[in-house]
Amino acid sequence: KDFTAPRLLEKENETELEKVESARKVRRERLKMPLMDGDNTFTTTRNTNFSKLSTQEEAKDFGLTNIQLYQLLMGKETHEKDLKTYYQSVVGEDSSNWSDDDQGKHQRLLKEAMGAIEIPVLRQDSDGTFYGLYQKDVPGPEVMSIQPIPDTKVRLVLQDLALREERSEEVAAAKLERRRELRKEIRS
């Protein structure tokens, strides 16, 4: 109330003051939330605001996961040439959820993201300090104080996640192939 105008503090303006005060206060409600997704056995009570989108609204939402965005930016030259094919590979069966106008808008957003976002190039100076530089800011080989960093020493988190995802798919495919071979051996 120290910062409230004296006019609002007068008795006849009390309702106006209540409106101003209630507008400042964030409405919060207590929600019981599961500790693990899909398991309501163990819950905790949260006292924060959460978005309450209906499933219909969520289905109409378009976006990329962090790894998909990283892979998009890593293959920027390839995807810029055939953005529609990349978009279809990301969206897959969900493309029927959006009209042609929405799909065109999504593709424009992807193109804008590719133009605006860049993956930093990691470098290290002679003092051991790491830098993430834009491609245009990377000094040439004539600057001896800043050196490239091998992937074995430092790696971007998203790069690591993408590699792990690829490896897990390869491992799963190899395990499946091994199981098929074992079944053939057992049958014969």
Side-chain angles (χ1 to χ4, degrees):
K1 291 194 176 191
D2 294 337
F3 299 108
T4 306
R7 179 186 68 78
L8 289 175
L9 292 174
E10 295 170 2
K11 193 70 173 165
E12 62 268 5
N13 296 325
E14 195 171 291
T15 57
E16 191 176 346
L17 178 62
E18 286 173 8
K19 287 179 191 174
V20 170
E21 289 296 319
S22 66
R24 281 190 211 161
K25 292 179 185 171
V26 178
R27 302 271 185 234
R28 295 183 181 264
E29 62 182 86
R30 299 182 69 76
L31 297 172
K32 280 197 175 253
M33 300 187 71
L35 290 175
M36 293 186 299
D37 193 27
D39 182 9
N40 291 329
T41 308
F42 301 102
T43 60
T44 184
T45 304
R46 303 289 303 264
N47 189 20
T48 52
N49 288 335
F50 291 96
S51 170
K52 294 182 180 176
L53 294 175
S54 70
T55 53
Q56 265 186 340
E57 291 173 18
E58 288 176 21
K60 291 208 53 105
D61 192 22
F62 170 74
L64 298 177
T65 65
N66 291 336
I67 293 175
Q68 287 173 327
L69 183 60
Y70 174 78
Q71 290 168 339
L72 170 70
L73 296 174
M74 286 305 293
K76 192 183 267 193
E77 292 79 27
T78 308
H79 299 314
E80 277 181 341
K81 292 175 187 166
D82 198 7
L83 189 64
K84 189 170 188 168
T85 303
Y86 176 77
Y87 173 75
Q88 291 300 327
S89 72
V90 170
V91 174
E93 299 168 3
D94 293 337
S95 63
S96 61
N97 292 342
W98 296 296
S99 66
D100 290 339
D101 290 341
D102 286 342
Q103 290 183 26
K105 181 182 173 188
H106 298 161
Q107 291 174 32
R108 280 193 307 279
L109 289 172
L110 282 175
K111 190 170 187 168
E112 288 174 15
M114 287 192 299
I117 302 172
E118 187 176 330
I119 295 175
V121 177
L122 298 178
R123 295 290 187 258
Q124 183 178 19
D125 68 6
S126 55
D127 297 335
T129 306
F130 293 102
Y131 296 99
L133 303 170
Y134 289 112
Q135 189 67 41
K136 65 179 176 58
D137 296 335
V138 174
E142 67 277 356
V143 178
M144 300 299 272
S145 62
I146 297 182
Q147 299 295 322
I149 304 170
D151 278 347
T152 56
K153 189 172 185 180
V154 174
R155 183 181 296 159
L156 295 172
V157 171
L158 289 176
Q159 181 182 11
D160 189 52
L161 290 172
L163 288 172
R164 286 178 187 220
E165 189 175 274
E166 288 172 15
R167 281 191 215 124
S168 68
E169 288 173 3
E170 290 170 5
V171 168
K175 284 182 179 178
L176 179 64
E177 189 61 34
R178 244 183 278 131
R179 281 191 220 122
R180 287 179 179 165
E181 288 173 7
L182 287 172
R183 286 185 195 136
K184 285 180 186 177
E185 289 176 14
I186 293 171
R187 288 180 190 155
S188 53

